Amino acid sequence: MSAVWEPAAAGVLRLPSGRLVRGRGLRRPLPAGPVPAFALYLLRREPPPVPWEARWLRWPDFWLPSDRTAFGVALREAWARAETERVEIACAGGRGRTGTALACLAVLDGVPNHEAVAYVREHYASHAVETPWQRRFVAGFQ
């Protein structure tokens, strides 16, 4: 792998395949160090432009993605790119929407659906995936 995150960096989730993806809350300042090559932003409103490639998906706080098909396409792109690039997934707080997306990413990486939330809570943030419907979304993600 080249051009990926440091595995010990704050907010970086290591998937079983070895891919590294940074999750973060956009309310906090950009962490020091390398910037992402690709980012997936999960917010109610379109975020300000960034100097790296980014996708925005409409996703209200505490809810689910407004367009689930677009979410699946964007998440698969993020997963593929994480093999060789720095990928970031972020929402405002970095826990609910970001955690849900990271859990779905873990499913794509081979973690069984019923274990994905626990995986992300253990390896990323203990309070990730905040609502019962977010947990159900991960359980049914394909």
Side-chain angles (χ1 to χ4, degrees):
M1 286 189 214
S2 63
V4 296
W5 302 111
E6 289 296 320
V12 174
L13 172 68
R14 179 185 291 276
L15 294 165
S17 66
R19 287 173 169 90
L20 302 171
V21 178
R22 180 171 75 185
R24 77 176 177 105
L26 295 171
R27 285 191 296 242
R28 292 187 284 286
L30 182 68
V35 298
F38 176 75
L40 184 55
Y41 295 130
L42 313 170
L43 301 162
R44 177 182 298 274
R45 291 187 175 85
E46 189 170 4
V50 290
W52 48 84
E53 188 177 351
R55 304 267 184 284
W56 164 62
L57 293 173
R58 185 179 309 278
W59 189 332
D61 200 7
F62 298 106
W63 290 99
L64 298 171
S66 297
D67 184 336
R68 294 176 190 190
T69 300
F71 171 73
V73 169
L75 198 65
R76 283 170 175 76
E77 179 182 2
W79 179 81
R81 293 179 73 159
E83 187 170 11
T84 59
E85 298 177 64
R86 286 185 300 275
V87 172
E88 170 177 90
I89 296 178
C91 63
R95 297 290 183 255
R97 293 168 284 186
T98 297
T100 302
L102 290 173
C104 291
L105 206 62
V107 170
L108 291 178
D109 205 62
V111 175
N113 292 64
H114 68 279
E115 296 175 13
V117 171
Y119 183 89
V120 169
R121 287 179 174 172
E122 179 180 346
H123 299 283
Y124 169 68
S126 61
H127 298 290
V129 192
E130 296 174 314
T131 67
W133 40 92
Q134 289 172 341
R135 289 190 297 276
R136 280 194 302 272
F137 182 75
V138 172
F141 183 77
Q142 298 179 8

